[in-house]
């Protein structure tokens, strides 16, 4: 029986495995997925997780709940040696080991792009995984609780200052949703007022949301600033050491919460630890039918899709164009992967990937959004409804759709949940301290 090994259980990997196990005949092949997380994160919901509009677990789709005939391995692939048809897996505990395969599917996904800026690794949160979204939300809620007990001054101002770096979809949506949450929180904290909130969005380019045209992008900037935010264009973060943010335009501020959403970088597994062909960006070279290689030189039995694959964009009709790394493409590429792998196994022709964009839509906070399809631009509440409608249809499985809808309906009547569960990140604290208050950062080891 042939072994199909899928590296990564994100969008493309999940849909590829899901499609394969539905169509493979018994004994035809075995599918294995290697991923350190036991779930697929539906990333378009992360901004709403920040705002409490979507329950964190509802933005995660359990692999074991839906992949019943797939072998799941909890671990990280650290090296791919296609010459030997093996990968090296690093489990959470124990030594690294090798897995052999007959057919390889690489859907490892991209990683957060960072720069050597002082303080970023110590102070900032990323915005790529559900754990990060939960931690950002809890940090904001905990900051409000502490700020409400302090007199006006530098420390209170620091706690109420939020800085996002990155003006792409992830950064702008997360920024808009967190700003919306902070505004709602004010009515529950009479000790604080709106003038004390300080929200900053930092973007190195001269505009935000590069996927939309200039005028809609400028409208988003105006809409955010009208809500009290500051958008710093043509500006870079120089330092974040100790939470003290220094910007390239000369401005400085103390920020209690820093979120880094400055785009994606190629996965180091692909960029540095494989003998498969990669391009100048560190992405796998992929044909239009999602086989790794070129039209003239294909790597046998190796396929790839998603953020770490340079897939030709045939819908654009321009030589050299490649699909952008977003959910629209990753989901559809994953589904096509399953069909093409089955076709290859059964000696049938494969299909090229062609997807004409459905437009782009972004949430900017509760009741606010923007949608663009070619020259059609929709703003405000209708765009926000379109965002919710599209993503509740797009999130995989009916179980997740129903759960998300139930939370939205509940919130329409009772508002968003504003309980902070920051203490969950250190569950042993009460046990270790035996109820004695402790100042500063709690520890994870028992007191001596």
């Amino acid at each position: 029986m042939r072994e199909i090994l899928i590296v990564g259980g994100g969008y493309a990997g999940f849909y590829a495995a899901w499609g394969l196990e539905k169509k493979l005949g018994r004994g035809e092949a075995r599918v294995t997925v290697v991923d350190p997380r036991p779930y697929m994160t539906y990333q378009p919901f992360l901004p709403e997780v920040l705002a409490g509009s979507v329950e964190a677990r509802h933005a995660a789709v359990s692999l074991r709940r839906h992949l019943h005939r797939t072998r799941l391995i909890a671990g990280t692939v650290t090296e791919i040696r296609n010459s030997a048809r093996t990968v090296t897996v690093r489990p959470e505990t124990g030594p690294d080991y090798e897995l052999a395969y007959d057919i390889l599917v690489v859907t490892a996904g991209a990683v957060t792009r960072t720069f050597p800026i002082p303080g970023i690794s110590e102070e900032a949160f990323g915005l790529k995984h559900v754990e990060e979204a939960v931690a950002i939300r809890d940090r904001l809620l905990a900051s409000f609780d502490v700020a409400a007990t302090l007199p006006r001054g530098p420390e209170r101002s620091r706690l109420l200052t939020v800085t996002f770096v990155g003006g792409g979809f992830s950064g702008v949506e997360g920024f808009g949703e967190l700003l919306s949450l902070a505004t709602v929180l004010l009515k529950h904290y009479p000790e604080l007022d709106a003038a004390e909130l300080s929200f900053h969005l930092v973007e190195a380019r001269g505009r935000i949301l590069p996927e939309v045209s200039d005028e809609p992008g400028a409208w988003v900037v105006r809409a955010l600033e009208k809500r009290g935010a500051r958008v710093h264009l043509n500006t870079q973060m120089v330092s974040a050491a100790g939470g003290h943010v220094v910007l390239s335009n000369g401005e400085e501020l103390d920020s209690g919460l820093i979120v880094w959403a400055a785009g994606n970088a190629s996965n180091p597994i692909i960029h540095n630890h494989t003998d498969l062909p990669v391009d100048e960006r560190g992405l796998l070279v992929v044909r239009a039918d999602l086989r790794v290689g070129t039209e003239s030189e294909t790597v046998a039995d190796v396929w790839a899709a998603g953020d770490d694959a340079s897939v030709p964009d045939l819908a654009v009709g321009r030589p050299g164009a490649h699909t952008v790394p977003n959910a629209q493409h990753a989901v559809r590429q994953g589904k096509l992967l399953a069909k093409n792998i089955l076709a290859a196994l059964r000696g049938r022709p494969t299909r090229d990937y062609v997807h004409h964009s459905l437009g782009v839509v972004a949430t900017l906070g509760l009741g606010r959004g923007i949608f663009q399809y070619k020259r059609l631009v929709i703003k405000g509440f209708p765009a926000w409804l379109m965002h919710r409608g599209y993503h509740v249809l797009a999130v995989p499985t009916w179980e997740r759709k129903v759960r998300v809808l139930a939370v939205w309906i509940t919130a329409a009547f009772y508002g968003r949940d504003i309980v902070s569960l920051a203490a969950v990140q250190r569950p042993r604290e009460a046990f270790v301290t035996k109820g004695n208050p402790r100042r500063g950062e709690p520890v994870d080891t028992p007191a001596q």
Side-chain angles (χ1 to χ4, degrees):
M1 186 164 58
R2 305 195 78 183
E3 181 73 39
I4 302 174
L5 178 62
I6 300 177
V7 178
Y11 293 126
F14 172 79
Y15 276 99
W18 208 17
L20 283 167
E21 73 170 23
K22 289 176 181 178
K23 300 294 184 180
L24 281 170
R26 192 168 298 278
E28 188 174 12
R30 181 174 69 167
V31 180
T32 299
V33 173
V34 181
D35 196 286
R37 290 178 170 81
Y39 55 81
M40 182 208 81
T41 301
Y42 189 70
Q43 292 182 352
F45 275 157
L46 293 187
E48 296 210 52
V49 172
L50 286 184
S53 297
V54 170
E55 169 62 35
R57 286 185 176 86
H58 300 168
V61 179
S62 170
L63 299 181
R64 292 192 178 274
R65 184 183 180 96
H66 300 289
L67 299 179
H68 305 295
R69 295 172 53 198
T70 299
R71 180 173 62 148
L72 300 173
I73 295 179
T76 301
V77 170
T78 59
E79 187 176 4
I80 298 171
R81 291 182 304 283
N82 189 57
S83 58
R85 298 224 167 187
T86 62
V87 301
T88 302
V89 177
R90 178 164 297 165
E92 185 68 27
T93 59
D96 294 1
Y97 60 92
E98 291 187 350
L99 278 179
Y101 61 82
D102 298 297
I103 298 171
L104 179 66
V105 183
V106 184
T107 55
V111 298
T112 301
R113 180 182 60 185
T114 58
F115 300 99
I117 298 172
I120 283 296
S121 59
E122 295 83 10
E123 303 291 338
F125 292 89
L127 187 51
K128 200 169 183 63
H129 301 289
V130 68
E131 304 95 326
E132 295 169 322
V134 171
I136 292 166
R137 178 174 182 268
D138 284 344
R139 170 67 69 87
L140 181 75
L141 293 169
S143 293
F144 266 69
D145 285 334
V146 176
T149 67
L150 298 174
R152 288 178 181 266
E155 180 59 16
R156 178 156 144 168
S157 295
R158 183 187 69 83
L159 290 169
L160 298 176
T161 299
V162 175
T163 305
F164 270 65
V165 181
F169 260 74
S170 177
V172 171
E173 288 191 310
F175 184 77
E177 285 287 353
L178 204 65
L179 177 59
S180 178
L181 173 62
T183 304
V184 168
L185 285 175
L186 287 171
K187 68 180 181 181
H188 301 287
Y189 290 84
E191 304 91 343
L192 309 176
D193 62 66
E196 294 183 88
L197 289 182
S198 183
F199 271 66
H200 300 262
L201 177 62
V202 181
E203 170 53 46
R205 292 167 294 189
R207 51 162 301 172
I208 61 174
L209 296 179
E211 295 87 348
V212 304
S213 53
D214 289 346
E215 195 285 324
W219 176 85
V220 173
V221 171
R222 294 193 299 270
L224 291 172
E225 291 183 335
K226 187 176 180 180
R227 293 160 60 189
R230 288 278 310 280
V231 180
H232 305 264
L233 299 177
N234 296 308
T235 305
Q236 299 177 11
M237 179 178 283
V238 176
S239 175
H244 181 72
V245 174
V246 180
L247 302 178
S248 61
N249 62 7
E251 293 188 50
E252 300 186 22
L253 53 106
D254 290 315
S255 187
L257 174 58
I258 301 171
V259 180
W260 184 270
N264 296 326
S266 61
N267 196 305
I269 301 166
I270 307 304
H271 193 243
N272 301 318
H273 304 291
T274 182
D275 55 0
L276 295 171
V278 297
D279 65 12
E280 66 280 358
R281 297 175 296 166
L283 303 178
L284 286 170
V285 177
V286 177
R287 298 183 354 163
D289 65 354
L290 306 181
R291 297 177 190 264
V292 171
T294 63
E295 294 299 326
S296 60
E297 190 173 351
T298 304
V299 181
D301 297 321
V302 182
W303 307 75
D307 292 354
D308 55 17
S310 184
V311 180
D313 193 347
L314 302 184
V316 173
R318 186 177 68 251
H322 295 89
T323 59
V324 297
N326 62 25
Q328 274 193 49
H329 288 301
V331 168
R332 288 166 177 82
Q333 288 170 8
K335 293 177 179 179
L336 183 62
L337 268 176
K339 294 176 182 177
N340 279 354
I341 292 169
L342 283 166
L345 280 172
R346 296 166 182 174
R348 298 200 303 262
T350 58
R351 290 168 44 205
D352 287 347
Y353 177 74
V354 183
H355 172 62
H356 296 274
S357 174
L358 303 175
V360 291
V361 62
T363 175
L364 304 174
L366 192 64
R368 302 175 176 91
I370 187 165
F371 168 83
Q372 182 173 12
Y373 177 70
K374 297 182 178 178
R375 294 186 179 181
L376 173 64
V377 178
I378 300 174
K379 306 170 184 175
F381 186 73
W384 175 77
L385 284 178
M386 294 172 69
H387 177 273
R388 285 203 160 183
Y390 172 78
H391 285 299
V392 79
L393 290 174
V395 67
T397 80
W398 279 103
E399 172 250 346
R400 277 296 180 261
K401 298 179 199 295
V402 172
R403 290 182 186 275
V404 170
L405 276 172
V407 172
W408 284 345
I409 292 169
T410 303
F413 288 99
Y414 299 105
R416 289 180 283 201
D417 198 325
I418 62 168
V419 174
S420 169
L421 294 179
V424 171
Q425 298 169 34
R426 44 182 191 274
R428 298 181 59 255
E429 181 69 8
F431 174 74
V432 170
T433 62
K434 299 178 175 61
N436 294 310
R438 191 199 300 256
R439 289 185 180 273
E441 287 296 319
V443 296
D444 294 325
T445 54
Q448 299 297 316

